[in-house]
Amino acid sequence: MRFLSVLFFTILLSFSVSAYSNNGTKPLAKNFTGISLDGTTINLADLRGKVVVVSFWTTRCAICAAEIPKLNKLANEYDGKDVTFLGLTTDNETKVKNYLRKKPFNFNILPNSFGTLLEYADRDGSGNVNMGYPTHYLINQKGEIELKTNGFDKAGLLDSNIRRLLMLN
């Protein structure tokens, strides 16, 4: 039993050390390119210098539907500022357009984003994709992931962090 305790502590300590070995740097957001509903090609690397909110959502998500009005309000508040809002979904263009007729979403919507979801999603112990909806990534002006959050009622958290990032520049 003592051996297992020592082994567990050693493994835990090694993870702790590796977490601090990056000198406090934030991970770079993985670049992606997608086609928005209006036909515009959006490349994340082209948005450097701006704050970018990337939200993964789906038309089948009740929490996403409840969050859309709050996220729309947030996007409207930053209209004309150096902030870009992207809504990525694995749903196809037809399904998304039908959904948006009933529930407008004021982000640049990128349908068919399954490949990007695979790049950003966490993995469970078996390597299976593990991403709850909605999941939001806040990317700073340097292209680093500043914040990752998911679930209900995150507009306020996103807002306070966007404000902080805009004040830094």
Side-chain angles (χ1 to χ4, degrees), residues 67-124:
E67 288 289 287
I68 287 174
K70 297 173 191 172
L71 295 171
N72 282 343
K73 183 177 177 187
L74 187 64
N76 291 340
E77 184 176 332
Y78 290 101
D79 188 35
K81 297 189 171 89
D82 282 337
V83 183
T84 299
F85 292 86
L86 304 175
L88 281 71
T89 179
T90 59
D91 295 322
N92 67 48
E93 189 173 329
T94 302
K95 189 172 199 173
V96 173
K97 283 182 177 180
N98 288 335
Y99 180 85
L100 294 177
R101 283 189 192 105
K102 299 173 198 154
K103 193 88 173 162
F105 195 2
N106 298 339
F107 282 32
N108 288 316
I109 305 297
L110 286 75
N112 304 309
S113 294
F114 185 69
T116 304
L117 179 136
L118 290 176
E119 289 291 322
Y120 275 76
D122 292 330
R123 305 289 175 149
D124 67 16

Side-chain angles (χ1 to χ4, degrees), residues 5 39 47 53 55 93 113 143:
S5 296
L47 299 173
V53 176
S55 294
E93 189 173 329
S113 294

Side-chain angles (χ1 to χ4, degrees), residues 33-36 38-43 46:
T33 300
I35 308 293
S36 69
D38 68 2
T40 304
T41 299
I42 296 177
N43 184 298
D46 294 341

Side-chain angles (χ1 to χ4, degrees), residues 3-19:
F3 173 75
L4 290 176
S5 296
V6 170
L7 180 63
F8 175 75
F9 180 75
T10 303
I11 292 170
L12 185 63
L13 184 60
S14 68
F15 284 119
S16 299
V17 170
S18 68

